[in-house]
Structure formats: C-alpha cells, structure tokens
Amino acid sequence: MATPPPPPAKRRQFLGLLPLPERRFITDALRTETVGGVLLLIAAVVALVWANVWPHAYETVSEYTIGPSGPLHLDLSLEAWANDGLLTIFFFVAGIELKREFVAGELRTPRAAMLPVVAAMCGVVLPAVVYTVVNSGPGGHGEGWAIPTATDIAFALGVLAVVGTHLPSALRAFLLTLAVVDDLIAILIIAVFYSSGIKFWALGLSLAGLVLFWFLHRRGVHGWYLFVPLALVIWALMHESGVHATVAGVAMGLLLRCHTEGDEEVSPGEHIEHLVRPLSAGFAVPVFALFAAGVVISVSALREVFTQALPLGIVLGLLVGKTVGIFGGTWLAARFTRAELNPQLKWADLFSVATLAGIGFTVSLLISELAFSDDPVLTDRAKSAVLVGSLLCAVAATVLLKLRNRHYRQLCEEEDLDSDGDGIPDVYQQAD
C-alpha cells in the first residue's frame, strides 16, 4: 500500500492577528506616538508661520547660544540643542524599540523579520537611487542622497489621527516595525556618512561610558540619579568626538535589557520606554520640529522644488522611491518566503501604508542640515522639499486609505469586541 503524500506545509500568514500581549503593547505605544504626531504637526505649522511672518525673531531665537564653552564645547545654539540633544531622546526610544523587536517583537525570528527588514531596506535604497539619478547631471547635489530615506512614524500617525482614518492593528504594527528598522538604518547612515573630524580620545571615553552603563544595568543597579548623569556624560563625549550625538541615544537604548527575569512583570527596557516615550513624542520631537521646519515659503521657493534637481530628487524619493521600495520589497519578500497575505486585507492596503511611510519629516530634516551644513540656502531648499514631499505622501495616503476606511472600521470593531467584558477581545477567544 502506497504511503500517502505528506500534507502541504501551511503557509505563514502575513499581517494576520497579532498575539494579544503584542497587540496591547503596540496599542499603547501607538497611542502615545499619535498624540505626539498631532503635536508634531502643530509645531511644524507654528514654525512655518513664525519663520514667514516674523523671520528675524525666528532666526534670533534659533541662533541664541546657551551652554558652557569648556571643556567639551557645549555652547550651542537652541537649534543645535534641538538637533543634537532632544533628538537623542527620540533615538534612545528608537533603540529600545529595536531591542524589544529583536527580543519579543516581529524581528525575533529570522523568518518573521525578513518581511519588514527587506521592506525597510528597499524603502531606503530606492529613494537614494531616485535622488542620485535626478541629481546625477549638472547642477545636482549628490551629498543629499540620504535625505529621502527616512520614515517618520509620529508624523504618519498624526496624519491618521487628524484625518480620522482607521487602520487595523496588523497594519499599524507593520508600519511601526518598518519605522523602527528604518530608524536603525538612518542612525547608521548618520554615524558613517555624516560624522567628521573624529576625536578618538572623546569617542573612546564615550564608549567606556557605554560599557559602564551596560555593566551597571546588567548588575541590577537602579536609580535615575545615577543613570541620567552618566547618560549626559556619554552624550557630551559623543558630541565632542565628532560622531553625531544621537548615536549615543540609540546605543544606550540597545544596551537595555528587554526581556523579563525572575518575577518581573515587565522588563527594565519596556519600563524605561514607557516613562521616556511621552517625553520624546510630546516634547523632544515637537520642539525639534519647531526649530527645524521654519523655512521661508514663497512662490519662487515652491517653483524651485519642482524645477531644481536637489529638491525634486527629495520629493520623488519620498513619494515614488519610498512607496515603490517598501511595497515592492514586501511583495518580493512575501513571494519568496511563501507568506500568505491576511485574507481580510489586500495588497492595495499595503500600498497605501507604503505611501504613508513616505512621510520622512523628522530624520529627513535632520539629515538635510547635516548634508548641507555649510550652505544655508541648500539646507532651506532641502527642507522645503521634505515638507512638500511629506505633504504629498500624506495627501496621497489619506485618499487611498479613505477608500477602504469603512472596511478598516469594521475590522477594528471586530478586533476590539469584548462581549463578555473579561478584558480579552472575543476574536482571541474564538481563535483559542
């Protein structure tokens, strides 16, 4: 009697129902980021109005210098403090998020990590290629290739909150994971390509401080009064070394333990992230936007965005490069890993999310200043392009998502339904 053939291997579902603990964590994290995104939008509008109505006052405040000049040259302008200081908090949270994703999130297994990682990498490479091609001719500025490569999760969620678009938790989780990987790539780009004049004594002391940070944390030492001063010293030494100071933030975030031990209910990393995330989303990033988004808008400036290679490369990189890169990378990864899309969703939904990921506000503005630090005219031109490109992505994504908003609302209601009031949505009990 012939042996029956083995049953076909079950295809892994992509964008399916999240595990309940993961769903709760994602919901809490995105709620804070959504509030921060709205504040970010408000700060960007205030900056634009301020810079265009009272330009002299805006420049005076931005260039106001504060801080000690010695021994580590921390006499910085308020704009520089926002760029190098406040964004370190943002990247600190990003580092914790990335560590948690590797330990307990979507990146914990290579098979599950492949989709968001490939999507993020394609969403970085293709915008850089688009920008480089546009700027390859006369009058181009190739040094700005990294500007359109970043995704701003807070701005994207702020747009969703303002326009009232529902989005299922699986799509939101994919967007968050994508942005976390994107942030890691961005900080690597900043560290490698936009650091100069390295002072190895300061870098060595900063690395020694990171080792001490890790040692104290792993030994179970507690107390903000110890770790906050140590973190400030590490940051100051990293800033002095010539490596961009935000690298210190993501490094400290990655050093935190994000798994539970003993009778811990939450890991130290998750606890610290819960405390620091509101400071990052509600203060650090909006204040950065206040000092970074203030560019003069005029008819001629808007015309230059679509007629000159530098700004046009940024706009096309965000609108076309990010969208096609993320969507194409995800589709190819799903096809070669035999992942099956959640039958409740369509590939058009992923295309809409990829368009939303083209919003590259915060990190793109930072890289604009780093790429053209010696030319304020090019910096403002790049920032204008980032604003226009992000706005176009927001509008396009809003239109695409609105077409499916009724379906999304139904999915969200099904996910949240708890008919017996036990705190566990019915869909998880049905699955069990």
Side-chain angles (χ1 to χ4, degrees):
M1 182 176 180
T3 303
K10 185 178 181 180
R11 300 182 68 179
R12 184 173 60 86
Q13 191 176 90
F14 171 49
L15 295 180
L17 186 66
L18 296 173
L20 185 57
E22 181 73 6
R23 182 178 183 272
R24 286 172 172 167
F25 177 84
I26 292 292
T27 300
D28 291 340
L30 294 182
R31 185 182 296 113
T32 304
E33 291 290 353
T34 299
V35 174
V38 174
L39 294 176
L40 178 61
L41 288 170
I42 295 173
V45 172
V46 171
L48 287 171
V49 172
W50 189 4
N52 285 272
V53 178
W54 302 285
H56 179 69
Y58 184 81
E59 291 181 8
T60 301
V61 173
S62 298
E63 295 173 2
Y64 183 79
T65 301
I66 187 173
S69 58
L72 296 177
H73 306 95
L74 295 178
D75 49 337
L76 307 174
S77 66
L78 291 180
E79 182 181 6
W81 276 110
N83 291 348
D84 297 349
L86 292 180
L87 275 195
T88 301
I89 301 174
F90 166 79
F91 278 109
F92 174 67
V93 174
I96 301 175
E97 289 176 339
L98 183 65
K99 180 67 172 290
R100 186 194 169 280
E101 287 293 329
F102 278 124
V103 172
E106 288 295 306
L107 306 180
R108 67 186 181 276
T109 60
R111 189 177 180 186
M114 182 172 293
L115 282 165
V117 169
V118 171
M121 293 181 65
C122 292
V124 168
V125 172
L126 194 58
V129 170
V130 170
Y131 177 92
T132 302
V133 170
V134 174
N135 282 267
S136 59
H141 299 274
E143 58 269 37
W145 62 270
I147 296 173
T149 61
T151 292
D152 193 316
I153 181 65
F155 203 120
L157 294 173
V159 170
L160 290 178
V162 170
V163 301
T165 302
H166 295 74
L167 204 62
S169 58
L171 286 175
R172 289 178 179 265
F174 176 76
L175 184 61
L176 177 62
T177 306
L178 182 76
V180 168
V181 179
D182 191 279
D183 286 340
L184 174 64
I185 298 174
I187 201 67
L188 291 175
I189 290 174
I190 291 171
V192 174
F193 296 99
Y194 296 105
S195 298
S196 59
I198 305 298
K199 298 179 181 178
F200 289 99
W201 67 267
L203 180 60
L205 289 176
S206 181
L207 294 176
L210 288 171
V211 172
L212 178 60
F213 182 95
W214 173 83
F215 176 78
L216 293 175
H217 178 64
R218 293 300 299 175
R219 295 288 293 180
V221 177
H222 301 286
W224 65 267
Y225 48 83
L226 177 63
F227 283 97
V228 171
L230 177 59
L232 292 174
V233 171
I234 293 171
W235 172 86
L237 288 168
M238 189 70 73
H239 181 272
E240 179 70 13
S241 73
V243 176
H244 200 269
T246 52
V247 175
V250 75
M252 286 184 281
L254 288 170
L255 291 177
L256 293 179
R257 177 167 59 84
C258 291
H259 63 274
T260 57
E261 294 181 354
D263 58 353
E264 292 178 338
E265 294 185 3
V266 295
S267 67
E270 290 174 297
H271 175 66
I272 294 172
E273 180 186 5
H274 179 73
L275 296 175
V276 179
R277 184 186 287 277
L279 176 63
S280 171
F283 177 75
V285 175
V287 173
F288 164 78
L290 184 64
F291 288 105
V295 295
V296 177
I297 301 297
S298 62
V299 175
S300 60
L302 292 176
R303 188 185 304 115
E304 288 177 352
V305 169
F306 299 100
T307 58
Q308 296 192 7
L310 165 62
L312 182 60
I314 295 173
V315 171
L316 292 178
L318 291 173
L319 184 60
V320 179
K322 292 291 286 187
T323 302
V324 176
I326 292 172
F327 178 79
T330 306
W331 185 84
L332 289 173
R335 181 175 182 182
F336 285 104
T337 58
R338 296 184 59 79
E340 186 177 51
L341 183 66
N342 182 350
Q344 293 181 310
L345 299 172
K346 297 180 179 179
W347 282 105
D349 299 320
L350 193 70
F351 185 84
S352 303
V353 172
T355 306
L356 186 67
I359 299 175
F361 190 79
T362 302
V363 179
S364 293
L365 290 177
L366 173 63
I367 297 178
S368 296
E369 297 195 356
L370 297 176
F372 305 110
S373 57
D374 57 346
D375 195 329
V377 174
L378 292 182
T379 299
D380 286 348
R381 195 173 294 168
K383 287 183 176 181
S384 298
V386 170
L387 295 176
V388 172
S390 297
L391 178 62
L392 291 176
C393 288
V395 172
T398 299
V399 172
L400 293 174
L401 292 171
K402 279 290 187 181
L403 296 176
R404 295 265 290 166
N405 198 37
R406 180 179 298 179
H407 179 64
Y408 295 152
R409 183 184 293 110
Q410 181 181 351
L411 291 181
C412 290
E413 290 174 352
E414 292 176 357
E415 289 182 0
D416 296 334
L417 182 63
D418 182 15
S419 57
D420 55 7
D422 63 352
I424 301 177
D426 295 347
V427 66
Y428 288 93
Q429 295 171 323
Q430 292 167 4
D432 291 339

